[in-house]
């Protein structure tokens, strides 16, 4: 029913086909914040592209599939290979989801000599599922992947009729033109464009002797768009995490924000505890899966 083709580089028409798929998926997944892919971005290692095609309507073995459009690419997989580890990004065109395309592709890649075994040296696959996609959870169970890490996207409503109050510890204000650093390797590569826009607002650093936090609000509409708070708890004493976050909330509230968004490292007890204590609410989980081959 489906076939796949590996590419080390994409031809211009293939880039166009993949970008069309991704644009459709981004629009469809905007509210859920599911993962996307980055076909034209440089990788950390050797990048390979997998283009997945399906038989023409009338030859797909399913009435439901035969009703779907005749398109050149129904799924796209990006593989970033570094030694024994490869980072995977996979996006299925929205119309073709819930028809077993991803599951069948995974089976073929396991079974066929042109699948994973054709990628020399790879022993483990890493894949982020942004928004804890239910299909990703099912695929992980079926193919023996385990959760290796997770980040919580959290929200804190502030200002207006529910102002946040706390003690400002005082901080030096510095520009942070590079924006937030990646908290866990690979997390930002496939993040949804809407989430990337929020993170891009974090261009101001509030620095204290204990550590620093990046903050920023939307310049045009700070009350309607989420503000960014970005803290990497590494190296910050556990007792100082809450104070840093309090200062960050007071700053974005003063700048007009009515909601702040922050990613929390699920493995950091101090970070999770401080964020909950300050009223940050869980919105979604981004999960990193690791699968041995």
């Amino acid at each position: 029913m489906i076939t796949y083709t590996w590419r080390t580089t994409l031809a211009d028409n293939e880039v166009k086909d993949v970008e069309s798929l991704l644009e459709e998926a981004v629009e469809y997944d905007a509210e859920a914040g599911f993962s996307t892919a980055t076909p034209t971005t440089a990788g950390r290692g050797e990048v390979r592209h997998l283009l997945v095609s399906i038989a023409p309507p009338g030859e797909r073995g399913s009435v439901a599939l035969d009703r779907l459009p005749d398109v050149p690419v129904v799924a796209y997989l990006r593989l970033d290979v570094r030694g024994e580890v490869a980072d995977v990004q996979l996006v299925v065109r929205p119309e073709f989801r819930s028809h077993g395309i991803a599951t069948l592709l995974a089976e073929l890649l396991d079974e066929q000599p042109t699948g994973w075994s054709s990628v020399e040296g790879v022993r483990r696959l890493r894949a982020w599922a942004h928004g804890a996609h239910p299909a990703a959870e099912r695929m992980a169970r079926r193919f023996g992947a385990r959760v290796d890490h997770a980040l919580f996207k959290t929200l804190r409503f502030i200002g207006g009729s529910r102002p946040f109050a706390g003690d400002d510890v005082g901080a030096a204000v510095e520009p942070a033109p590079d924006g937030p650093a990646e908290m866990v390797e690979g997390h930002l590569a496939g993040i949804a464009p809407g989430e990337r826009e929020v993170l891009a607002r974090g261009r101001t650093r509030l620095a204290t002797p204990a550590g620093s936090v990046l903050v920023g609000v939307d310049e045009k509409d700070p009350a309607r768009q989420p503000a960014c708070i970005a803290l990497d708890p590494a190296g910050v004493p556990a007792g100082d995490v809450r104070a840093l976050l309090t200062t960050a909330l007071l700053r974005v509230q003063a700048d007009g924000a009515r909601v702040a968004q922050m990613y929390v490292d699920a493995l950091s007890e101090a970070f999770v505890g401080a964020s909950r204590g300050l009223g940050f609410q869980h919105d979604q989980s981004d999960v990193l899966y690791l699968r041995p081959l």
Side-chain angles (χ1 to χ4, degrees):
M1 180 177 69
I2 64 171
T3 57
Y4 60 84
T5 305
W6 288 106
R7 293 279 191 266
T8 53
T9 58
L10 295 174
D12 290 345
N13 65 304
E14 292 171 334
V15 171
K16 184 177 179 180
D17 291 338
V18 171
E19 288 182 341
S20 173
L21 180 158
L22 295 176
E23 287 170 5
E24 185 177 325
V26 164
E27 182 178 358
Y28 187 85
D29 296 333
E31 184 174 352
F34 292 152
S35 306
T36 187
T38 52
T40 59
T41 302
R44 291 181 170 92
E46 178 189 355
V47 175
R48 297 193 181 192
H49 311 272
L50 189 77
L51 306 178
V52 183
S53 304
I54 195 168
E59 301 177 19
R60 295 172 176 171
S62 162
V63 173
L65 283 172
D66 284 337
R67 294 194 183 107
L68 298 179
D70 190 10
V71 292
V73 180
V74 296
Y76 167 73
L77 184 148
R78 181 184 191 268
L79 201 66
D80 190 346
V81 182
R82 292 171 296 152
E84 294 187 348
V85 180
D87 291 319
V88 179
Q89 297 173 350
L90 173 64
V91 180
V92 177
R93 189 179 290 271
E95 309 99 301
F96 289 84
R97 296 176 187 175
S98 301
H99 291 284
I101 300 292
T103 301
L104 178 57
L105 175 63
E107 291 173 347
L108 294 176
L109 291 172
D110 276 355
E111 297 167 0
Q112 296 182 346
T114 53
W116 300 127
S117 61
S118 70
V119 185
E120 185 177 356
V122 173
R123 298 291 179 266
R124 297 184 301 280
L125 303 176
R126 297 172 77 251
W128 279 95
H130 295 272
H133 198 300
E137 296 176 19
R138 292 194 297 270
M139 292 274 289
R141 289 195 299 269
R142 176 161 181 170
F143 293 98
R146 64 174 176 81
V147 175
D148 190 59
H149 212 124
L151 297 178
F152 300 144
K153 189 184 89 173
T154 64
L155 302 174
R156 178 50 159 99
F157 294 93
I158 53 180
S161 61
R162 46 195 170 194
F164 173 74
D167 295 327
D168 190 337
V169 298
V173 180
E174 306 168 353
D178 293 334
E182 193 168 54
M183 195 179 304
V184 180
E185 183 183 6
H187 176 247
L188 299 183
I191 200 168
E195 307 300 341
R196 191 180 298 278
E197 288 178 8
V198 177
L199 284 171
R201 294 172 191 145
R203 303 288 182 174
T204 298
R205 184 182 306 278
L206 306 180
T208 73
S212 64
V213 58
L214 268 60
V215 299
V217 302
D218 184 76
E219 294 181 358
K220 295 181 179 179
D221 197 354
R224 290 181 177 271
Q225 301 298 326
C228 171
I229 295 179
L231 170 68
D232 185 347
V236 179
D240 293 314
V241 172
R242 183 184 178 104
L244 274 173
L245 295 181
T246 297
T247 298
L249 283 168
L250 291 170
R251 172 60 186 252
V252 296
Q253 180 173 256
D255 288 343
R258 292 297 176 264
V259 61
Q261 178 175 309
M262 178 176 69
Y263 283 96
V264 176
D265 187 338
L267 301 187
S268 171
E269 293 184 9
F271 200 176
V272 172
S275 64
R276 287 177 176 170
L278 289 170
F280 282 89
Q281 302 172 13
H282 178 271
D283 181 66
Q284 71 176 40
S285 297
D286 292 353
V287 179
L288 173 61
Y289 291 101
L290 183 67
R291 186 203 173 194
L293 292 178

